[in-house]
Amino acid sequence: MLSGTGWGTLAAGAVLTATGYGLGYGELAALGVTCLLSVAVAVVWALPAPRLGAERRITPGRVSRGDPAEGVVTLVNTGGRTRRGLRAVDRCGDRDIPVDVPPLRPGAAHESRYALPTARRGRVPVGPLRLERTDPLGLARRMRPYGAEDTLLVRPRICPLPVLPSGRAHHVEGPASDAADDGSLTFHALREYVLGDDLRRVHWRSTARTGTLMVRQMVDVSLPHTTLVLDGRRRAYASEDDFELAVDCAASVAYAAARSHFPVHLVGEAGPLLHTEGSGDDGEALLDALAVVRRSDLTSLAAAFEGRPGGGRGNNGTLVVVTGTGDSRGLGAVEGVRGRFDRVTVVRAGAVAQGTGDEVGAGPGSDVPQLRVASLDELLAGWRREAVR
């Protein structure tokens, strides 16, 4: 394809050639023909596709928001001629990142490193790498994609938090079902048998029906459960930065519970997002899920508490609600479910918005602890105070 200069040269050559021949000016015609020939030579120069091998890797593939990440591109000249005049551009999200490409001799390889943007959470598509070959005058260029598209996952930032004691006695050995207190095991689901399962938990009726050995999966209900509600409503936050802080707070709370191998139930403003049982990889799964959370246009948070009626003695561990300092519509539903939990805490992230109805009456009762935080450092300090309360 022609560059802007190439199209200008082509148009000028056509005009000069036509004018020179039409008016009998040989010099103008010669100049016009020269312009046209220059464009033709530039196209022929840029037309051959270079024989190159391209490989990209992202290090690391998962990164916390704001932490450094690099793209590493390795180009290998697999042809028999030295390649010059090459320019590489890698696409990262909505940005083009130029990649330096020196002249490559046959069989030579060159590695380029460049920083990737990590200021915002989410899955950031990287690639494919575009390689441009241009002529010396810059009149024409050929662009060709090389390599596959990769993904950089930018996750929330977290700070180390203690797990809030929920007032429930739990086994000091953690979530191992064979070490749980007597009577604390509850049927959860059926699954296929794996080597090492207790044969006493084989469900013979399902085994006969499916033709596959099925066992009962039991969970330890004595483990402290954490139910985490993240308010993603746009109107709940004064700015995008306040929402990012709320996601960071939610990620810190969830990761603290998962690090201790405790179950976590993650809920958004519209309903459940992820439930973990306390395995070793739960923390990573929770961070991955929170990496792609986006704000919504829902008007109320009440849907997050549906299906959790109140009343009765607390038996569901800890409820943590993370929201902003803006509109608190639906936050009063905490009162309706607080009887089901041993402990309830509300975290309000960001600066207080004026005229948003951010009063005690607009949210949960005054005896429900509310932590107002403007940074992760404030969350850490307030959370530690709450943990010893």
Side-chain angles (χ1 to χ4, degrees), residues 84-146:
R84 295 182 174 86
L86 298 179
R87 177 176 178 268
V89 178
D90 210 5
R91 187 75 171 173
C92 183
D94 56 356
R95 294 176 49 185
D96 283 337
I97 302 177
V99 180
D100 179 46
V101 182
L104 291 176
R105 295 179 179 177
H110 175 74
E111 181 180 277
S112 295
R113 294 176 175 266
Y114 50 92
L116 298 175
T118 61
R120 292 294 179 185
R121 288 178 304 106
R123 287 192 178 93
V124 182
V126 181
L129 182 73
R130 305 192 309 273
L131 201 61
E132 298 181 359
R133 175 178 170 84
T134 61
D135 66 285
L137 297 179
L139 301 179
R141 69 175 184 269
R142 173 167 182 163
M143 184 180 299
R144 180 181 177 185
Y146 280 82

Side-chain angles (χ1 to χ4, degrees), residues 3-25:
S3 64
T5 304
W7 283 111
T9 303
L10 180 64
V15 171
L16 290 174
T17 301
T19 302
Y21 278 111
L23 300 179
Y25 292 105

